[in-house]
Amino acid sequence: MTVDPALRAAAETSKAWPFEEARKLVDRVKRTGKKEVLFETGYGPSGLPHIGTFGEVARTTMVRRAFELLCDIPTRLLCFSDDMDGMRKIPDTVPDPAALKPYLHMPLTVVPNPFGGDYESFGHHNNAMLRRFLDTFGFQYEFASATEYYKSGKFDAMLLRALEKFDDIMGVMLPTLGEERQATYSPFLPISPSSGRVLYVPMKKVDAKAGTITFTDEDGTDVTMPVTGGRTKLQWKPDFGMRWAALGVDFEMFGKDHQTNAPIYDRICEILGAEAPEHYVYELFLDDKGQKISKSKGNGLTIDEWLTYADPESLALFMYNKPREAKRLYFDVIPRAVDDYAAFLSGYQRQAEKPVDRLMNPVWHIHGGNPPVPEEGGISFALLLNLAAVANAHDKSALWGFIRRYQPNLAPDTHPRLDALVAHALRYFDDFVKPKKQYRPPTEDEAAALSDLADALGTLPENAAPEEIQQKVYDVGRRDPYKTTQKDGSVGVAQGWFNMLYQVLLGEEKGPRFGSFVALYGIDNTRQLIGRAVKGELAS
């Protein structure tokens, strides 16, 4: 890949967080002399994939692309699924929880698939759901299954080394445990030969030379067996460090809930003879009630739910912004994410001569340095939502009728992103906006102001520009109680004027730039809308 020298120079000082992380990796490869950089993300398939999992892959990819601009060393991204973990509880999201009860504590790739279909297990199904979206979004990654890595012997050498370092690993782990847990703890979890369950049992004997462990099985018999070949797996904290050491991982990010354990992962990786990777800790996502989202509970948003109402680029923008701040991840964040993405994409075109600004623009990171050229039109998601409301539209053709009257050069076949946005807006309006709309009747003074606004709009041609319309809205609004005096002595309009328009005409507390809305909806249509509001028909 040919790299623009000016862009690379800008990347060396960019304050965008992916470049700050990427520069740490540049220093790492200079120190280690590695000829390839391995990025890793981890996935626990105990429930259906959620947006947080996607976010981890998206953010890691952003760091990866930033590194590739700074350095010519090849990179790989490994998405690792911990699908050999035992199913410790039955997720609330499965259709028949009772049917899975006999499979508690069995590896997820042994638990039957409760969703039907061709997948051979619960773990395989959940892995496929994750990969489906990652493939749809176009991530470049390699998928790895813990079950396959353990059973195929890819971890055997490191498992034998962990057995040799058993006492050292216990020395790291035991101080972190309570007295009762210390008495039974083992970093190795055998898979029971009699029941197939993942066992949390103490070791009666550890034989590093023979590569075996001895423990008491569920049927009461003592069993001696090798730690290799998928017969055992490691507890999750030692597993983190072992995997980093076995694979030579250079970078992994994880949520704040892992932060206190990171030194444990690092130390075990070092005990096994490898250098711990670079980390990036991000804040957790919250649902609409401010609670941490959970795969097993199914709260918050799923990947498919976001894509029902918006494009994947808006989701990627949500992931890029302020990853170290806790954010509510629920349906009400979607409209702003959609419109912010469009604004950043438009701004990127104006930054062609400013590499520093381009690298600070989120769309550079969302698209790996190659953002698309935005479509013409500039119709926002918020505007489409309000249009759907006043037009009582139920299909795309109705909204496209207004759009094409407003801008005849726009069409579904020539503007596919806008066409998709129209469909998203209709779904979002039906599911989230329409049920909450609450028009209020105007007061006597407000009705007089609205009538004056209708008259003022009537002096404009039907094809008046949004700016002309907005000026009329301002002119009418310069009256008590909305009139304000600016610092320069000029007369302005308070936000209360527009709040009244939104509440009375649109049934909402907030709205789009009113001139743009009128231009899209039509002056005559808006005057009729005002007339209905003055008569109290909207609030009835």
Side-chain angles (χ1 to χ4, degrees), residues 137 157 230 371:
F137 194 79

Side-chain angles (χ1 to χ4, degrees), residues 285-305:
F285 295 119
L286 309 175
D287 66 11
D288 59 325
K289 298 178 178 63
Q291 302 296 313
K292 173 190 169 185
I293 64 171
S294 164
K295 294 188 296 293
S296 59
K297 291 181 180 178
N299 60 337
L301 280 175
T302 67
I303 293 167
D304 288 333
E305 283 172 334

